[in-house]
Amino acid sequence: MDYKNELKNFFGEHCLFNEPMGRHTTYRTGGNAEVLVLPKTKEDWSFVLKLANTGNIPLRILGFGSNILVGSGGLNGIVCATSRMDSITCEGDTVRAEAGAALDKACELSAAAGLAGLEKLSGIPGSIGGAVYMNAGAFGQETFDTLEYFDVIDREGRPATLLKKEVPHAYRHVEGIENFIILSAAFKLQKADAKELTSSRNFILHKRIEKQPLEYPSAGSVFKRPVGDYASRLIDDTGLRGLSVGGAKVSEKHAGFIVNFNRATPEDIKNLMDQVRQKVKEKHGITLELEQILWGKFS
């Protein structure tokens, strides 16, 4: 029996073959995953990991796909999506959330419960696991600011709990967790007025609508912020606002975003990223670093 049949027998309807990744990424484009499964329990993860390790099969972990571009050539092996792992609980001053829960939902629930520390992350379109993995942030607040610990398993299926203080982290970067799968995270928050927090959250959401091109598929900020500057300012100053390749363009509303405005292929987006980096380098001598992750084969 090959590994695909084993996965289908184990996961049933939660195992999909030749699944278009445009359905699972916020760019709404991308080639097919050979196999996509949706684990929920530790037993599910143990099964997938054992199978992948035994057969030496490539394995990728997917949250909301809000920071990923998948090439048209698709993905071989197994993609594990965390979307069924979505529980969030508020207890005392701690919020615990599974990796596949929406970060924005955790922000909403904590604000309503009068717990401060996540409200400025409102509207970030990612999962808890993705936010921890890259230390996502906005409006001067980062995921690791209030993170207390997170539960993981390694690629051999061994569980561990990592405390924030044990994990080196910086702006949009967390060290040494590439070979771990994040299962859940806990945040230690501060008691505050629920009405004020909800008001602050609504202000942030309004700012996002006002400043970001949310009317088109995108994956948020394409490039990391260079030291002492902003990628969007450099791109704008280079005259690249509105620059397009195929169905992809640099947003006129926010130059830090590339949007899929007209059935863009992954290659349209990738080529536009490359052009932007090259032109900014030519004008400003600064090499913009990708914040987004490229998966698979680009033609």
Side-chain angles (χ1 to χ4, degrees):
M1 186 188 282
D2 71 17
Y3 81 90
K4 291 185 191 176
N5 286 330
E6 288 193 49
L7 287 169
K8 192 67 180 173
N9 288 340
F10 188 89
F11 283 99
E13 65 178 337
H14 301 300
C15 172
L16 305 166
F17 296 146
N18 296 318
E19 180 66 8
M21 290 304 292
R23 294 177 183 166
H24 302 276
T25 57
T26 58
Y27 267 129
R28 295 288 173 256
T29 188
N32 293 358
E34 192 175 7
V35 187
L36 185 137
V37 296
L38 295 95
K40 186 168 175 65
T41 65
K42 284 183 181 173
E43 290 72 32
D44 291 350
W45 282 106
S46 295
F47 182 85
V48 174
L49 289 165
K50 188 176 178 184
L51 201 63
N53 290 337
T54 304
N56 201 23
I57 302 158
L59 181 73
R60 295 177 174 89
I61 313 303
L62 179 75
F64 279 18
S66 58
N67 203 43
I68 288 170
L69 178 65
V70 179
S72 289
L75 303 171
N76 58 347
I78 306 166
V79 174
C80 290
T82 60
S83 51
R84 291 173 68 216
M85 305 166 59
D86 61 357
S87 82
I88 304 172
T89 57
C90 295
E91 223 173 275
D93 58 2
T94 300
V95 169
R96 287 184 183 83
E98 286 187 305
L103 174 61
D104 184 60
K105 192 69 184 170
C107 299
E108 181 190 0
L109 293 176
S110 60
L115 296 172
L118 293 176
E119 64 283 348
K120 289 183 182 175
L121 306 182
S122 293
I124 291 178
S127 65
I128 289 287
V132 171
Y133 189 82
M134 66 170 288
N135 191 19
F139 298 98
Q141 199 169 71
E142 293 183 335
T143 302
F144 265 71
D145 289 349
T146 54
L147 183 70
E148 191 174 16
Y149 63 84
F150 53 108
D151 293 317
V152 298
I153 47 173
D154 67 14
R155 296 288 173 134
E156 304 298 316
R158 293 175 295 230
T161 296
L162 303 180
L163 301 176
K164 174 171 76 172
K165 62 186 179 186
E166 298 171 345
V167 181
H169 56 277
Y171 169 77
R172 303 296 176 273
H173 179 70
V174 182
E175 273 182 45
I177 64 167
E178 300 79 16
N179 294 315
F180 289 114
I181 296 159
I182 298 165
L183 298 178
S184 62
F187 301 87
K188 194 85 165 172
L189 306 177
Q190 300 289 322
K191 292 280 188 189
D193 182 74
K195 277 188 181 173
E196 283 181 21
L197 291 173
T198 300
S199 172
S200 173
R201 169 177 154 76
N202 289 337
F203 175 77
I204 296 290
L205 292 172
H206 179 73
K207 279 280 176 206
R208 282 185 170 276
I209 292 165
E210 198 178 83
K211 295 188 170 182
Q212 297 180 2
L214 304 181
E215 63 274 21
Y216 292 116
S218 80
S221 297
V222 177
F223 303 103
K224 293 183 181 179
R225 191 175 68 213
V227 176
D229 212 330
Y230 291 93
S232 57
R233 191 201 72 78
L234 292 167
I235 295 164
D236 210 8
D237 192 61
T238 311
L240 304 180
R241 198 179 280 250
L243 178 70
S244 66
V245 173
K249 71 175 170 182
V250 176
S251 167
E252 285 109 335
K253 198 171 182 182
H254 189 311
F257 283 59
I258 286 175
V259 297
N260 176 357
F261 77 101
N262 187 21
R263 297 192 294 280
T265 66
E267 286 68 28
D268 290 342
I269 297 168
K270 168 79 164 53
N271 290 345
L272 187 53
M273 288 174 174
D274 292 343
Q275 280 195 35
V276 168
R277 292 183 82 194
Q278 183 188 340
K279 290 175 190 294
V280 168
K281 171 84 171 170
E282 284 169 6
K283 176 156 187 185
H284 295 280
I286 292 170
T287 303
L288 292 176
E289 191 184 340
L290 265 186
E291 183 170 304
Q292 295 174 356
I293 297 162
L294 307 180
W295 274 3
K297 307 177 193 92
F298 290 82
S299 57

